[in-house]
């Protein structure tokens, strides 16, 4: 897994849900039905500012080239959202599944906000998801958080959560990875990362 | 299993009973059915790429089908060709799950009960797949007697000296027109 530089940030990030369900749409005017399937996850398309080829440009290009074959990890932009001081939340208990997750070990009374991005680190892979409902941790730093997507992989007891700076990790997708070397000595880059699972 | 309402959550489940272990696969993420965990990827089988429509006809056609797997490594792909896997039981279910708990709801319906027949490893650019063909477990009950034929040789084995089949050669016999038929 290639970790992309944290600076400079993307000028534009377009996150998307990779949805495997659909709407069962009859050709007539009959009622439609929503069809949910397992395995929904996220992808983010990034557009980078012009990068000086002399320093950061060549590094970004090289990390992406290597990331093409090994997968890449990029910080998820929080913009103005401040996750505060969450402490060290970890998964509380093995055998959990679905969209409810018990966590412990965080800062007492930490507030999870609806729509807040975070990661669960399972077996070396960072899974991105968003909190689906405002939740407060109790006095001992434990909480039951609601996820937006179902867990894609079963976490073990004690798997850590990353709340202060979440990342998106996956394959660099697209027809091909290309970069623009311009006359003004800058590099233009745009790429997309899709979670693998 | 109801499949009712405005929002449905169906899941396809597969279980392969190998001599050494049991492989449980589903079509995304993972799902719990009681105490069994169905994963979307297996260490040897990898993920399911696609499944051909299973066929069953009237007459002497046994139900069968093909599932294409994406094995995670070349070693895994060759491991799948283990002759001991032939005839291993393989079952498919269609069920519904609950999003909040990640559990299968109700009892999934068994849609096929098959046995592994042949394994074919295929490679092409950016792709390595293993086709596993299945046949019905009921095929074991089919009584096929390939040696039996309606000819004189076989007839003599069963009824020595009985010549009712001696002219049944399947070859046309022509007689010249106008000639005396010697029989």
């Amino acid at each position: 897994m290639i970790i992309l530089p944290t600076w400079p940030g993307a000028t534009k990030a377009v996150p998307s849900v990779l949805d495997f369900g659909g709407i069962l749409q009859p050709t007539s005017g009959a009622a439609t039905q929503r069809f949910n399937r397992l395995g929904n996850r996220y992808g983010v398309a990034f557009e980078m500012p012009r990068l000086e080829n002399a320093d950061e440009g060549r590094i970004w290009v090289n990390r992406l080239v290597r990331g093409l074959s090994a997968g890449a990890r990029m910080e998820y932009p929080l913009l103005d959202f401040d996750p505060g001081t969450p402490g060290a939340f970890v998964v509380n208990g093995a055998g959990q599944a679905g969209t409810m997750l018990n966590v412990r070990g965080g800062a007492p009374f930490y507030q999870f906000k609806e729509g807040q991005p975070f990661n669960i680190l399972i077996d070396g892979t960072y899974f991105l998801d968003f909190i689906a409902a405002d939740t407060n941790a109790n006095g001992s730093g434990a909480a039951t958080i609601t996820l937006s997507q179902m867990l894609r992989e079963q976490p073990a007891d004690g798997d850590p959560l990353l709340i202060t700076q979440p990342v998106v990790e996956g394959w660099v997708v697209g027809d091909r990875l290309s970069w623009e070397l311009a006359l003004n000595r800058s590099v233009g880059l745009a790429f997309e990362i899709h979670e693998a699972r | 299993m109801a499949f009712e309402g405005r929002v449905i959550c169906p899941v396809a489940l597969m279980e392969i009973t190998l001599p050494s272990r049991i492989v449980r696969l589903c079509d995304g993420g993972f799902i719990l059915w009681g105490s069994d965990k169905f994963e979307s990827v297996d260490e040897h089988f990898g993920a399911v790429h696609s499944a051909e429509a299973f066929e069953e006809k009237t007459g002497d056609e046994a139900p069968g089908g093909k599932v294409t797997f994406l094995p995670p490594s070349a070693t895994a792909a060759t491991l799948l060709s283990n002759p001991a896997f032939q005839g291993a039981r393989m079952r498919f279910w269609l069920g519904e799950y609950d999003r909040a708990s990640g559990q299968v709801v109700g009892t999934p319906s068994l849609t096929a009960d098959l046995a592994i027949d042949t394994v074919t490893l295929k490679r092409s650019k950016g792709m390595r797949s293993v086709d596993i063909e299945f046949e019905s477990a009921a095929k074991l009950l089919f009584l096929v007697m390939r040696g039996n034929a309606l000819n004189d040789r076989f007839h003599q084995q069963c009824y020595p000296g009985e010549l009712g089949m001696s002219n049944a050669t399947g070859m046309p016999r022509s007689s010249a027109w106008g000639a005396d038929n010697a029989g």
Side-chain angles (χ1 to χ4, degrees):
Chain A
M1 188 57 56
I2 306 296
I3 299 159
L4 297 175
T6 52
W7 197 87
T11 47
K12 196 164 86 175
V14 185
S16 56
V17 179
L18 309 178
D19 178 31
F20 298 93
I23 294 169
L24 302 176
Q25 181 93 48
T27 49
S28 66
T32 54
Q33 203 178 27
R34 165 70 198 182
F35 174 83
N36 285 326
R37 290 186 70 178
L38 292 168
N40 281 9
R41 48 186 176 253
Y42 298 97
V44 186
F46 292 102
E47 214 170 283
M48 297 303 296
R50 304 302 300 190
L51 303 166
E52 291 280 340
N53 184 51
D55 39 41
E56 64 256 24
R58 62 184 163 77
I59 297 174
W60 269 93
V61 168
N62 187 259
R63 296 259 176 107
L64 272 176
V65 168
R66 287 186 290 142
L68 192 66
S69 45
R73 186 185 304 157
M74 169 94 177
E75 284 190 353
Y76 185 86
L78 288 173
L79 301 184
D80 285 337
F81 176 74
D82 180 7
T85 47
F89 277 105
V90 295
V91 171
N92 186 12
Q96 301 195 61
T99 56
M100 306 291 278
L101 186 69
N102 296 316
V103 292
R104 64 175 145 84
F109 307 112
Y110 178 75
Q111 291 187 317
F112 288 95
K113 297 287 188 191
E114 184 177 351
Q116 173 178 357
F118 72 102
N119 289 124
I120 310 174
L121 177 58
I122 304 170
D123 203 13
T125 307
Y126 290 82
F127 290 88
L128 177 69
D129 204 1
F130 300 86
I131 301 288
D134 286 352
T135 310
N136 286 359
N138 64 15
S140 52
T144 301
I145 54 174
T146 318
L147 315 180
S148 306
Q149 305 294 350
M150 294 174 66
L151 287 166
R152 281 95 79 192
E153 183 159 353
Q154 195 161 39
D157 181 42
D159 274 349
L161 270 69
L162 269 84
I163 298 167
T164 40
Q165 182 50 69
V167 294
V168 57
E169 173 182 305
W171 309 123
V172 180
V173 297
D175 283 347
R176 62 177 175 180
L177 176 70
S178 61
W179 56 97
E180 181 198 343
L181 297 172
L183 187 63
N184 65 358
R185 277 118 184 98
S186 70
V187 174
L189 261 183
F191 58 95
E192 193 165 347
I193 294 179
H194 280 190
E195 288 191 303
R197 179 169 175 178
Chain B
M1 193 173 65
F3 290 139
E4 283 166 2
R6 297 170 67 89
V7 177
I8 55 170
C9 301
V11 57
L13 305 162
M14 176 200 282
E15 184 179 279
I16 310 174
T17 314
L18 298 178
S20 48
R21 67 195 179 102
I22 295 178
V23 179
R24 294 191 175 94
L25 288 165
C26 68
D27 57 0
F30 73 99
I31 198 87
L32 301 174
W33 181 6
S35 57
D36 296 333
K37 183 164 91 163
F38 288 75
E39 283 267 13
S40 58
V41 64
D42 177 76
E43 54 173 334
H44 292 148
F45 282 82
V48 174
H49 175 255
S50 59
E52 203 180 58
F54 294 160
E55 276 191 357
E56 186 167 5
K57 289 180 189 153
T58 52
D60 59 356
E61 175 117 3
K66 185 169 80 178
V67 171
T68 306
F69 289 94
L70 302 172
S73 67
T75 340
T78 46
L79 268 176
L80 294 187
S81 319
N82 185 345
F85 289 1
Q86 203 164 36
R89 188 182 192 190
M90 156 140 217
R91 283 179 292 175
F92 294 85
W93 290 270
L94 196 60
E96 259 191 306
Y97 63 89
D98 177 54
R99 270 179 60 83
S101 68
Q103 290 268 0
V104 167
V105 186
T107 310
S109 27
L110 183 68
T111 52
D113 192 339
L114 304 165
I116 291 184
D117 187 10
T118 56
V119 175
T120 319
L121 177 63
K122 289 183 173 168
R123 320 176 65 118
S124 59
K125 189 192 172 201
M127 180 90 174
R128 178 185 56 217
S129 63
V130 167
D131 285 352
I132 298 192
E133 296 218 29
F134 308 104
E135 56 178 21
S136 168
K139 213 166 187 171
L140 297 172
L141 304 174
F142 283 19
L143 201 61
V144 181
M145 296 193 174
R146 297 200 184 278
N148 296 9
L150 204 59
N151 60 25
D152 188 48
R153 190 180 150 272
F154 185 73
H155 196 66
Q156 289 298 323
Q157 281 182 356
C158 304
Y159 307 102
E162 212 289 316
L163 299 175
M165 225 42 108
S166 59
N167 285 328
T169 58
M171 301 290 286
R173 278 161 61 121
S174 45
S175 314
W177 178 76
D180 189 19
N181 192 349

